[in-house]
């Protein structure tokens, strides 16, 4: 595996690899099995597998956890080597945002709902860094997790709007045995907080069971998920949304193949998200 810290060395490594189809997995590191599921698919479906690790400051708000975001580049790098990754790109901030940096990508409407409400500017940071990474790596396919479903929708819109020559593959949420979606941020949780956090996946399981029983009213599903989260005193609800994929708006009734049930909570200082998807986000 070739590890590159600069754009120039990434370009050299890509050029040396020749004209092979490139798969790309962008991450912020502190890798877990969720990330590795993307890496494995990327390896399987492409001749050249490129992974980036970059904690992108532009997608963190001023009061968010940029400084304390968990990092372990040596361990990450060993994991990726074991997975057979060809190129690891680990740029620094001056490489990615060399001053004066003045170009930003706004994916309007989709960026201001759900997580965008409590994280203004977050999706602008995500879209901008991912477009830059796509331009640098020039992948045929890029791999994302359904865990960040709104992110995948924002990026899908960007790919369509700008005619980017990349296919997005959005893969299922990988969970711990107890049901909690894997996240680099789970290390912040105390054991009591972690137990409380399980109300989040449980609330979505409840929605799934209700749908199976025939419930199709968005409001009834939203209220049930909200109540299941509210029943856990250590959780503070950020939002529950039962929305259509095209505009993230709630319709009176859910539609098979076109519904996202997404929720965000705070447990102590930690913000957690999870979702249930009826549909496919790949493009
Ligand atoms: P991050 O390092 O948090 O930016 O995540 C990098 C990629 O891994 C994103 O596309 C995430 O959606 C994906 N990802 C994070 N957690 C999971 C998970 N539990 N299951 C599947 N994919 C995940």
């Amino acid at each position: 595996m070739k590890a590159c810290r600069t754009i120039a060395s990434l370009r050299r490594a890509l050029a040396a690899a020749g004209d092979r189809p490139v798969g790309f997995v962008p991450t912020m590191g502190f890798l877990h099995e969720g990330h590795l599921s993307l890496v494995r698919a990327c390896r399987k479906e492409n001749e050249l597998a490129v992974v980036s690790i970059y904690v992108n400051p532009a997608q963190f708000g001023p009061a968010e956890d940029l400084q304390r975001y968990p990092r372990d580049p040596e361990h990450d790098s060993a994991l990726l080597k074991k997975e057979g990754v060809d190129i690891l790109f680990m740029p620094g901030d001056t490489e990615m945002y060399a001053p004066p940096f003045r170009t930003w990508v706004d994916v309007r409407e989709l960026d201001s709902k759900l997580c965008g409400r409590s994280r203004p500017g977050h999706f602008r940071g995500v879209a901008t860094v991912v477009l830059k990474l796509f331009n640098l790596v020039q992948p045929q396919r890029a791999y994302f997790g359904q865990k960040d479903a709104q992110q995948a929708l924002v990026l899908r819109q960007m790919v369509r709007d700008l005619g980017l020559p990349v296919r997005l593959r959005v893969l299922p949420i990988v969970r711990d045995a107890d049901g909690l979606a894997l996240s680099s941020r789970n290390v912040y949780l105390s054991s009591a907080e972690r137990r409380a956090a399980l109300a989040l996946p449980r609330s979505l399981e409840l929605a799934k069971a209700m749908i199976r029983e025939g419930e199709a009213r968005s409001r009834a599903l939203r209220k049930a998920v909200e109540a299941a989260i509210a029943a856990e005193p250590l959780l503070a609800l950020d939002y529950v949304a039962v929305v259509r994929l095209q505009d993230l708006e709630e319709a009176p009734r859910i539609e098979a193949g076109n519904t996202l049930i997404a929720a965000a909570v705070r447990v102590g200082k930690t913000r957690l998200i999870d979702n249930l998807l009826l549909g496919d986000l790949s493009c």
Side-chain angles (χ1 to χ4, degrees):
M1 183 176 76
K2 177 91 184 112
C4 306
R5 292 182 183 279
T6 63
I7 291 171
S9 70
L10 173 68
R11 290 200 208 282
R12 278 196 298 275
L14 288 167
D19 201 12
R20 294 190 273 163
V22 177
F24 176 47
V25 186
T27 80
M28 299 206 299
F30 209 69
L31 302 177
H32 51 63
E33 281 294 319
H35 296 113
L36 296 182
S37 72
L38 307 182
V39 170
R40 286 174 196 137
C42 175
R43 268 272 289 151
K44 210 164 117 196
E45 297 172 8
N46 304 276
E47 282 185 40
L48 197 76
V50 181
V51 175
S52 66
I53 295 180
Y54 180 56
V55 182
N56 173 33
Q59 69 191 68
F60 287 77
E64 292 184 358
D65 57 344
L66 173 62
Q67 295 312 323
R68 66 183 191 123
Y69 194 84
R71 293 164 167 90
D72 193 348
E74 276 89 48
H75 185 241
D76 287 348
S77 163
L79 285 175
L80 294 173
K81 202 167 172 182
K82 216 167 93 197
E83 293 294 337
V85 166
D86 299 289
I87 298 175
L88 168 59
F89 182 45
M90 286 196 286
D93 291 339
T94 44
E95 201 69 9
M96 291 303 281
Y97 294 100
F101 188 91
R102 305 197 207 276
T103 306
W104 297 94
V105 182
D106 285 321
V107 181
R108 294 205 178 159
E109 301 302 323
L110 297 184
D111 65 356
S112 54
K113 295 169 183 169
L114 282 60
C115 286
R117 249 188 242 280
S118 50
R119 305 190 73 189
H122 170 69
F123 291 108
R124 158 186 270 214
V126 169
T128 302
V129 84
V130 170
L131 179 59
K132 177 152 187 172
L133 290 166
F134 282 178
N135 282 333
L136 297 174
V137 175
Q138 304 201 0
Q140 269 74 21
R141 295 188 194 83
Y143 295 78
F144 295 90
Q146 181 205 308
K147 162 87 187 328
D148 299 276
Q150 187 178 6
Q151 166 174 289
L153 280 165
V154 164
L155 295 175
R156 180 171 84 167
Q157 187 74 44
M158 176 181 82
V159 164
R160 287 179 179 164
D161 289 350
L162 300 181
L164 304 179
V166 59
R167 304 280 311 269
L168 299 192
R169 300 263 290 111
V170 182
L171 301 185
I173 301 175
V174 178
R175 298 176 181 281
D176 248 330
D178 58 10
L180 190 66
L182 293 180
S183 163
S184 307
R185 289 189 166 98
N186 290 352
V187 292
Y188 297 150
L189 302 174
S190 69
S191 54
E193 288 174 339
R194 196 188 155 99
R195 268 195 307 281
L198 296 178
L200 178 58
R202 267 205 313 271
S203 72
L204 295 167
E205 281 298 319
L206 171 69
K208 200 172 174 179
M210 289 171 70
I211 293 168
R212 216 181 295 126
E213 302 284 304
E215 181 60 81
R217 294 168 301 165
S218 302
R219 185 170 186 278
L221 289 163
R222 178 165 51 76
K223 291 286 172 196
V225 175
E226 282 170 1
I229 291 172
E232 173 46 68
L234 286 186
L235 296 191
L237 182 68
D238 181 347
Y239 70 83
V240 174
V242 180
V243 291
R244 313 183 286 220
L245 300 184
Q246 69 270 27
D247 56 5
L248 297 176
E249 288 290 338
E250 184 174 302
R253 297 174 75 80
I254 64 165
E255 213 184 301
N258 191 31
T259 299
L260 174 68
I261 303 184
V265 301
R266 284 181 195 284
V267 201
K269 281 196 200 156
T270 309
R271 186 172 181 280
L272 298 176
I273 56 172
D274 200 347
N275 67 76
L276 172 67
L277 175 69
L278 312 177
D280 186 5
L281 300 178
S282 297
C283 73

